[in-house]
Amino acid sequence: MSRRRRTLPVIVALVLAVVAAPAAASEPAPDPAPQPEQWRSYWVDAFNEGIYTPAQVEELVGDALEVNANALIVQVARRYDCFCNRADYPRTDAAIAPAPHDPLDEVIEQAHAAGLEVHAWVNFGTLWNSATPPRSPDHAFNAHGPSATGADRWLNKRVDGTELVGNNSFIDPANPAARDYVVGAIQSIVREYDVDGINLDYIRYPDHNSTTTHSDWGYSETSIARFQAATGRTDVPAPSDAQFTDWRREQITSLVRRIYLGIFEIDPTVRLSNDGITYGFGPQSVGGWEKTRTYAEVLQDWKGWLDEGIIDTVVAMNYKREWMPDQARMFTEWNEVLADWQGDRQTVSGPALYLNEIGDSVQQVRDLLTPTAAGNTVAGWSGYSYANPSLTAAAGSPAVKDAERAALAAALTTGPDAPFAADAAVPSMPWKDDPTTGNMAGTLRLRTGTALDGVTVTLEPVAGGGENRTQVSDGSGWFGFVDLPPGVYLARYDLPDRVAGAPFSVVRVQAGELAEAQPQPFIPLP
């Protein structure tokens, strides 16, 4: 989609040049060698200047080119408001240039013209963070926040009853309507804008827990009711309850799966990335992946997402101070597993520029690009953030920030051993560019329209190879499978009691496509 449109001016120019040029007897010049692949990006947050006006975007693009970046991760939906005009999210209340200015359109136009990819950064978990509500009545905080009741109340709740931490409110990942809304809103961005990717942030349960070993969140009425229905339990589980913890973690994973296939449905070439948590020491020091705060406390299983193939790129928020020995060790440990756990997908290490001076940030770039003992390296680097490119810049004036940004670019791109001296291309995605597998999705509903939640779906290959796979339908009755060998499959549905209908579908999966399982609406029995 976007790649074809961007190359059209180049093709036209080449055709005109050939027509105008005199015939030459010499052999045509060989094609230039392809650039090496290495991800290089800035995170561009929307709480600071960078995309508010066309002039800011022009400066942003120029600064990205100075550091030899090839991508921008631009915050478009920060708290269910959008720095854009044509998405399901309402337009932001931030002081951007007045309509018809569309920040996302502007970034795409200028960045693509300069050869930079644009990845729309979308926050999931954070709903609102101000005592003043958003102006739009359609904003999720106004429509589904403190004034709403029952299933219309999308707020996450802590075990102690807390829904607001200060002015911060959070979305419940287990609320089916909230999930439907987010998937649709992300699809609207992909449909309406020529983005190269979607970058998910806060795709997890919130912080503000009483311990680092489990999450205190997930206690909304809707969440507890769904958990009880799924397990047959009648109690309210403790935060440390293993079954409840696994169920909550699966709410995040199944949402990532649904977003992945929802994007694929609109444009299979668009990349899905997420901002991966790397709190504290790595798995090497804490006893394995399951003991990390990432997996145990905020319930974000990005390692499992890479293994399943429901994320294209983990852009890890590896925010550590190089000048503190313990944190430097944390940085190294996370880089090692990021490199070694990529499988058929990719990982990027994202250091915190604002926590380090320039020399330490350059050292972190060198460290993350150093192969592990297994010979692996991460796919590249993303600096957090464009607004504050160093520790000095974070406390400095706009002029200081500009000077520090220029100094960082010079340190990364000039000199005999500068890590970004040569240009590089964004790493390709062979699993999408030249796919050998396909995907499948479907929805289970009653004739009344009621979703069948928690139905076990077993996928059995009939012809074409592969192995049995099992998943559970979500609160909207949706299920999906990724990276299936091409062939014919039987999808079996373990229907609940007092529901009648054909308990299976036959589906043909083809490489590079999304097959739809089409079960007939089921009949509720009296």
Side-chain angles (χ1 to χ4, degrees):
M1 173 175 127
S2 60
R3 291 158 184 79
R4 288 197 298 272
R5 287 211 295 274
R6 248 178 292 156
T7 56
L8 184 59
V10 176
I11 295 170
V12 172
L14 288 172
V15 170
L16 291 175
V18 169
V19 171
S26 60
E27 291 292 326
D31 292 334
Q35 290 180 342
E37 293 188 344
Q38 185 180 83
W39 180 292
R40 300 174 189 168
S41 68
Y42 274 128
W43 272 294
V44 185
D45 74 86
F47 292 94
N48 291 283
E49 292 186 352
I51 63 170
Y52 281 41
T53 67
Q56 289 180 17
V57 173
E58 182 178 4
E59 184 175 358
L60 164 66
V61 169
D63 288 336
L65 295 177
E66 286 297 313
V67 79
N68 276 345
N70 48 35
L72 294 170
I73 301 175
V74 180
Q75 193 168 40
V76 171
R78 56 183 189 179
R79 283 183 169 85
Y80 288 74
D81 56 339
C82 198
F83 284 69
C84 61
N85 298 343
R86 301 190 306 280
D88 290 354
Y89 295 117
R91 181 180 163 98
T92 183
D93 293 346
I96 60 176
H101 172 63
D102 186 316
L104 182 52
D105 262 340
E106 188 69 39
V107 171
I108 290 170
E109 180 179 354
Q110 293 201 38
H112 281 180
L116 298 168
E117 288 195 357
V118 176
H119 297 257
W121 168 5
V122 176
N123 284 10
F124 167 71
T126 53
L127 177 58
W128 195 241
N129 72 330
S130 172
T132 303
R135 290 197 295 263
S136 171
D138 296 329
H139 190 285
F141 181 83
N142 291 328
H144 301 285
S147 63
T149 59
D152 285 336
R153 191 181 186 94
W154 293 358
L155 295 176
N156 206 335
K157 182 186 289 187
R158 207 162 58 186
V159 65
D160 61 3
T162 296
E163 289 181 321
L164 298 177
V165 179
N167 292 320
N168 292 282
S169 58
F170 308 93
I171 281 281
D172 178 12
N175 187 294
R179 293 161 63 95
D180 291 349
Y181 176 76
V182 169
V183 173
I186 289 172
Q187 285 182 306
S188 73
I189 293 173
V190 175
R191 183 183 299 111
E192 294 292 331
Y193 293 90
D194 190 18
V195 294
D196 299 283
I198 294 291
N199 174 256
L200 296 175
D201 199 4
Y202 287 93
I203 187 73
R204 56 185 175 87
Y205 276 77
D207 297 319
H208 314 288
N209 295 293
S210 61
T211 176
T212 60
T213 61
H214 58 255
S215 173
D216 292 337
W217 295 86
Y219 286 85
S220 73
E221 292 178 14
T222 298
S223 177
I224 295 300
R226 285 192 61 222
F227 171 72
Q228 291 174 338
T231 60
R233 292 171 54 170
T234 58
D235 63 314
V236 175
S240 58
D241 184 280
Q243 190 177 29
F244 186 44
T245 295
D246 289 343
W247 184 85
R248 285 177 292 174
R249 189 181 298 109
E250 178 56 26
Q251 300 311 300
I252 300 295
T253 294
S254 65
L255 178 58
V256 173
R257 185 183 300 120
R258 190 170 170 193
I259 291 171
Y260 185 88
L261 289 177
I263 291 172
F264 190 95
E265 180 182 0
I266 305 300
D267 185 348
T269 70
V270 169
R271 184 189 300 260
L272 179 63
S273 64
N274 79 285
D275 297 336
I277 295 295
T278 64
Y279 289 162
F281 287 102
Q284 305 93 321
S285 291
V286 300
W289 172 240
E290 291 77 12
K291 297 295 181 65
T292 63
R293 292 180 61 191
T294 307
Y295 186 88
E297 180 188 351
V298 297
L299 310 180
Q300 185 189 78
D301 185 16
W302 56 251
K303 179 181 184 294
W305 305 347
L306 288 167
D307 291 341
E308 185 182 345
I310 58 175
I311 203 78
D312 296 311
T313 307
V314 172
V315 187
M317 299 183 292
N318 202 358
Y319 300 167
K320 308 295 187 292
R321 296 166 177 84
E322 181 69 16
W323 43 277
M324 297 179 65
D326 276 356
Q327 292 197 24
R329 177 179 145 205
M330 294 175 189
F331 185 75
T332 298
E333 289 183 347
W334 283 108
N335 284 331
E336 180 181 36
V337 295
L338 283 165
D340 289 345
W341 288 352
Q342 291 176 97
D344 293 330
R345 297 300 193 256
Q346 294 162 352
T347 62
V348 170
S349 187
L353 303 176
Y354 72 99
L355 295 178
N356 293 282
E357 298 297 4
I358 289 171
D360 283 336
S361 286
V362 173
Q363 183 58 52
Q364 288 192 333
V365 172
R366 299 188 196 283
D367 291 344
L368 67 88
L369 295 178
T370 300
T372 66
N376 301 312
T377 56
V378 295
W381 167 91
S382 189
Y384 187 83
S385 68
Y386 170 72
N388 292 299
S390 71
L391 184 61
T392 293
S397 65
V400 169
K401 295 178 190 293
D402 289 343
E404 288 291 289
R405 195 175 297 113
L408 175 66
L412 288 173
T413 61
T414 60
D417 57 350
F420 297 162
D423 290 335
V426 174
S428 59
M429 297 183 289
W431 58 95
K432 285 188 169 178
D433 298 337
D434 188 19
T436 59
T437 61
N439 309 302
M440 177 197 299
T443 302
L444 304 176
R445 291 188 179 277
L446 297 175
R447 284 187 178 178
T448 60
T450 301
L452 287 176
D453 185 6
V455 172
T456 298
V457 180
T458 302
L459 209 58
E460 303 172 4
V462 176
E467 58 186 17
N468 289 7
R469 298 196 194 179
T470 301
Q471 285 180 8
V472 175
S473 63
D474 71 7
S476 298
W478 183 92
F479 63 91
F481 296 87
V482 171
D483 276 0
L484 296 169
V488 177
Y489 290 82
L490 190 67
R492 295 188 183 273
Y493 313 122
D494 186 10
L495 298 174
D497 293 339
R498 312 198 69 76
V499 172
F504 62 87
S505 299
V506 178
V507 189
R508 180 179 294 277
V509 173
Q510 295 179 304
E513 296 186 7
L514 175 62
E516 183 181 358
Q518 297 180 319
Q520 294 295 316
F522 297 96
I523 303 169
L525 298 177

